[in-house]
Amino acid sequence: MPEATRIDWIGVDWGTTNLRAWAVRGSEVVATASAPVGMASLTRDAFEPALLNVIDEWLAGSDTAPLPVIACGMVGARQGWQEAPYVTVPSPPLVRDAMIPATCKDSRITVTIIHGLSQANPADVMRGEETQIAGLLAMDPDFEGLACLPGTHNKWAFIRGGEIERFRTFMTGELFDIIARQSVLHHALGDASAFDDDAFDAAVLQAAADPAALSAALFSIRAASLLEGIAPDVARARLSGLLIGLEIAALGDEVRTARPAIVGSHTLSSLYERAIRLNGGDAQRLDGDGLARAGLQMAHDLMIVEKTN
């Protein structure tokens, strides 16, 4: 970024393992940065130094001080920089009064942390996904229906009238990781990075047809490896298909009758889209990073409106 480039504010999506940042002038992104530093690896007093390591060059080249930073995600968790409250659904994805200032030692920045969302019955919480949903509504203010946000803890949000009415979280990504690394199936999966589409499809349909037999279906991956010598890419695809298929089965007709907006990385989003289509539904894929950025812009705009009123 050239010296003395005007930056109006910085948006940050800060998760469990990674930080992504955007330097913004008006509504235009003029620089991006990321680092593998997240809540899981930071103590509370390490958040500010970690952020400064990523954005220090921007601060040196900016003529705006203090520079506003707006952050979403696990940075606002109980183990994060500063705990931000949960807003109970039904609710708009972003509520200005629930955003909190973080304590900063460096006078060059001010940091605002976006709240999370909670649900009483059944008990559920989200942090970070609310900002992506805000981005979805910024892109399509009339959107109503189902949003799928794949990740370690996959979210399905039901949206109507600009509000998140309810949501459900599935630990599919974490279960895959635990089973792949710590269960007997790790012998079958190996370190394969390849993926067998046909094996995935068959496993999705198997889970949909008999979800109660998931545990037996999982062990059959190990048995097939021993008796049939199935390749690790086939075993990995079967595991993924069974777990994602079970999740789709739990949603039933809701996922088939809606046309879910899938918000996330290309790889995961494509798997969820494939599983939905195999179960007779349809879906649209949207860029998760782009919607996170759009949601942070919406949060920034809410703050500006608050200041002018």
Side-chain angles (χ1 to χ4, degrees), residues 156-177:
W156 295 83
F158 301 82
I159 301 165
R160 187 181 305 277
E163 292 190 337
I164 299 171
E165 291 188 330
R166 55 192 171 92
F167 61 96
R168 297 182 72 179
T169 302
F170 292 81
M171 291 179 60
T172 303
E174 185 169 1
L175 286 173
F176 180 93
D177 184 61

Side-chain angles (χ1 to χ4, degrees), residues 1 53 69 79 88 92-93 98 103 136 148 184 188 207 265 296 298 309:
M1 188 173 64
N53 282 339
V69 177
Q79 296 79 22
T88 304
T103 302
L136 169 62
C148 170
V184 69
S265 69
L296 288 165
M298 182 177 283
N309 286 342

Side-chain angles (χ1 to χ4, degrees), residues 12-20 35-54 71-82:
V12 175
D13 183 1
W14 207 334
T16 302
T17 56
N18 292 290
L19 176 158
R20 294 172 294 173
V37 288
M39 181 201 70
S41 62
L42 297 172
T43 59
R44 178 154 290 183
D45 59 359
F47 277 84
E48 184 175 359
L51 175 64
L52 291 172
N53 282 339
V54 173
C72 69
M74 297 306 289
V75 63
R78 186 166 298 172
Q79 296 79 22
W81 186 339
Q82 199 158 318

Side-chain angles (χ1 to χ4, degrees), residues 19-105:
L19 176 158
R20 294 172 294 173
W22 297 269
V24 185
R25 180 175 58 242
S27 59
E28 177 190 1
V29 174
V30 295
T32 62
S34 62
V37 288
M39 181 201 70
S41 62
L42 297 172
T43 59
R44 178 154 290 183
D45 59 359
F47 277 84
E48 184 175 359
L51 175 64
L52 291 172
N53 282 339
V54 173
I55 68 171
D56 190 67
E57 181 181 350
W58 299 347
L59 298 177
S62 174
D63 56 5
T64 302
L67 197 63
V69 177
I70 302 173
C72 69
M74 297 306 289
V75 63
R78 186 166 298 172
Q79 296 79 22
W81 186 339
Q82 199 158 318
E83 186 175 9
Y86 289 114
V87 174
T88 304
V89 297
S91 168
L94 298 179
V95 177
R96 173 64 187 93
D97 290 345
M99 301 178 194
I100 65 164
T103 302
C104 298
K105 296 179 180 178

Side-chain angles (χ1 to χ4, degrees), residues 175 179 183-185 203 206-224 238-239 241-243 245-247:
L175 286 173
I179 293 170
S183 80
V184 69
L185 296 192
Q206 181 182 358
D210 193 4
L214 174 69
S215 183
L218 290 174
F219 189 78
S220 72
I221 297 173
R222 169 62 171 163
R238 280 194 191 178
L239 175 59
L242 286 171
L243 294 177
L246 184 70
E247 184 177 334

Side-chain angles (χ1 to χ4, degrees), residues 68-277:
V69 177
I70 302 173
C72 69
M74 297 306 289
V75 63
R78 186 166 298 172
Q79 296 79 22
W81 186 339
Q82 199 158 318
E83 186 175 9
Y86 289 114
V87 174
T88 304
V89 297
S91 168
L94 298 179
V95 177
R96 173 64 187 93
D97 290 345
M99 301 178 194
I100 65 164
T103 302
C104 298
K105 296 179 180 178
D106 195 309
S107 61
R108 295 176 298 168
I109 58 171
T110 61
V111 175
T112 300
I113 298 176
I114 295 174
H115 57 84
L117 293 179
S118 67
Q119 179 175 275
N121 187 24
D124 213 332
V125 295
M126 71 165 67
R127 284 197 187 276
E129 294 89 357
E130 77 292 320
T131 305
Q132 290 181 310
I133 294 171
L136 169 62
L137 290 173
M139 180 190 74
D140 182 3
D142 297 324
F143 178 88
E144 292 195 344
L146 191 57
C148 170
L149 299 102
T152 302
H153 299 148
N154 193 57
K155 309 286 185 183
W156 295 83
F158 301 82
I159 301 165
R160 187 181 305 277
E163 292 190 337
I164 299 171
E165 291 188 330
R166 55 192 171 92
F167 61 96
R168 297 182 72 179
T169 302
F170 292 81
M171 291 179 60
T172 303
E174 185 169 1
L175 286 173
F176 180 93
D177 184 61
I178 291 170
I179 293 170
R181 291 189 301 107
Q182 299 182 31
S183 80
V184 69
L185 296 192
H186 86 271
H187 299 293
L189 273 60
D191 297 321
S193 58
F195 200 82
D196 187 286
D197 289 339
D198 290 340
F200 175 83
D201 292 354
V204 167
L205 295 174
Q206 181 182 358
D210 193 4
L214 174 69
S215 183
L218 290 174
F219 189 78
S220 72
I221 297 173
R222 169 62 171 163
S225 173
L226 293 170
L227 300 178
E228 302 168 18
I230 62 170
D233 61 325
V234 173
R236 182 168 292 269
R238 280 194 191 178
L239 175 59
S240 180
L242 286 171
L243 294 177
I244 292 177
L246 184 70
E247 184 177 334
I248 301 299
L251 292 160
D253 288 338
E254 286 186 300
V255 77
R256 284 188 288 272
T257 55
R259 185 171 182 260
I262 307 176
V263 180
S265 69
H266 170 76
T267 301
L268 267 179
S269 292
S270 63
L271 292 179
Y272 275 87
E273 180 184 23
R274 192 179 187 99
I276 290 167
R277 293 185 187 280

